[in-house]
Amino acid sequence: MPIKIPFWKTVGDAYRFVFGDLPRFARASAAWIATILLLFIVVVAVLGFAIFQQGQAFGASAHLGAGPIVLLAIFGLYVFASNIAFTVAWHRVVLLGEALGLLGTLRFRGREWRFFGYSLLIGLLGVVAFVVAFLIGFGVGFLVGAAIGSGVLTIAARTVLVIVLFVTLTPFLTRFVLGLPAIAVEEPRGVLRRSWRRGRHNGWRLFWGFLLCSLPLGVLAALCSVAERYVTPAAASGGAGWIIGLVLDFVLFALNIIANYLGVAITVSFLSMSYRRLTRYETDAPVG
């Protein structure tokens, strides 16, 4: 009989694991958050706050020199790499009980590269699957509409078919995310095959768990980004309120980053706990 994730209990446990011991979260994330904020200050000092106003970062880069563009690229890559490294570290905190010092997560070596490669692979699998689903839905919908002779029915048929294919594919593709904690705890080759087997009858539980764990903090991070759009002009205007605008913009950016890391920690906790339950009775799994 397939093992199933106790959905609501696991979601609740994920939130409790993070918010029940915030000092542990701070130890695991503080070094990355602090270095991101330091880099942010460097970029602002060189390019000014206006470069971070939503919608301008890449639009403004059209008339920036090579140096500022490289600086922005380094900043973006660092933020991305920090998320990967923190995700791996937090999987290990949940599954192996690793106690991390303030600088314990500042690493990006073989384990993190393997994690990144697997993440890229399942992302590509998802993109290919949904492109194929869209093309099939588009093509069949067109044929149905052409046979009926109605443009409205063509659009309706395409939409229904794409939705049906999306709903059909989602629980199967979601099963592959169980490979992420497996790589974090350094399971050997064959992770893709094992994650597919372990996720049987749990695809939708994993999908909705991801949504419920990532959405609240994601909304908070998005609100901080929106607020920055209104604060940044004050910081960049040079008027009497520029200091206040500057401070507020920095605070909003810091809140954005912290909310993002909290969301990652909760989502990773849910996935790690799901993985632990589904591998509990396996002799080849590294966690009990």
Side-chain angles (χ1 to χ4, degrees), residues 142-249:
F142 177 80
L143 293 175
V144 170
I148 298 173
S150 168
V152 174
L153 289 176
T154 299
I155 295 172
R158 289 174 185 168
T159 304
V160 169
L161 282 166
V162 170
I163 291 173
V164 168
L165 288 168
F166 172 81
V167 170
T168 303
L169 287 171
T170 296
F172 291 101
L173 292 171
T174 310
R175 289 161 65 172
F176 289 122
V177 300
L178 288 168
L180 297 173
I183 287 176
V185 295
E186 300 181 290
E187 276 196 22
R189 295 170 65 90
V191 166
L192 200 67
R193 171 180 51 81
R194 288 192 296 273
S195 63
W196 172 261
R197 172 174 52 81
R198 289 163 177 165
R200 187 183 176 200
H201 299 299
N202 286 288
W204 281 115
R205 288 177 173 85
L206 291 166
F207 176 81
W208 290 113
F210 259 70
L211 200 63
L212 288 176
C213 290
S214 62
L215 191 60
L217 275 299
V219 169
L220 177 58
L223 289 174
C224 290
S225 294
V226 170
E228 281 186 86
R229 294 183 61 185
Y230 297 96
V231 173
T232 300
S237 64
W242 75 272
I243 295 180
I244 296 175
L246 201 67
V247 172
L248 284 176
D249 209 351

Side-chain angles (χ1 to χ4, degrees), residues 73-163:
I74 291 172
F75 180 75
L77 286 172
Y78 187 83
V79 172
F80 177 76
S82 74
N83 271 270
I84 294 289
F86 172 74
T87 299
V88 173
W90 196 254
H91 273 302
R92 295 177 67 83
V93 167
V94 179
L95 291 170
L96 303 178
E98 281 194 353
L100 299 172
L102 285 176
L103 300 178
T105 59
L106 283 178
R107 53 160 286 160
F108 203 100
R109 296 195 286 273
R111 185 194 304 148
E112 287 74 21
W113 279 111
R114 187 179 176 218
F115 188 93
F116 168 69
Y118 185 84
S119 303
L120 189 61
L121 175 61
I122 60 175
L124 288 173
L125 285 174
V127 169
V128 169
F130 286 117
V131 166
V132 171
F134 177 81
L135 292 175
I136 292 172
F138 187 89
V140 175
F142 177 80
L143 293 175
V144 170
I148 298 173
S150 168
V152 174
L153 289 176
T154 299
I155 295 172
R158 289 174 185 168
T159 304
V160 169
L161 282 166
V162 170
I163 291 173

Side-chain angles (χ1 to χ4, degrees), residues 17-106:
F17 187 83
V18 176
F19 289 105
D21 193 346
L22 285 175
R24 175 177 54 201
F25 167 78
R27 287 191 298 273
S29 63
W32 286 117
I33 292 173
T35 51
I36 288 171
L37 294 178
L38 285 173
L39 269 177
F40 178 79
I41 292 171
V42 170
V43 174
V44 168
V46 174
L47 304 179
F49 256 89
I51 197 66
F52 284 101
Q53 190 170 356
Q54 190 166 337
Q56 286 190 12
F58 292 102
S61 66
H63 34 81
L64 288 175
I69 292 174
V70 169
L71 183 59
L72 280 174
I74 291 172
F75 180 75
L77 286 172
Y78 187 83
V79 172
F80 177 76
S82 74
N83 271 270
I84 294 289
F86 172 74
T87 299
V88 173
W90 196 254
H91 273 302
R92 295 177 67 83
V93 167
V94 179
L95 291 170
L96 303 178
E98 281 194 353
L100 299 172
L102 285 176
L103 300 178
T105 59
L106 283 178

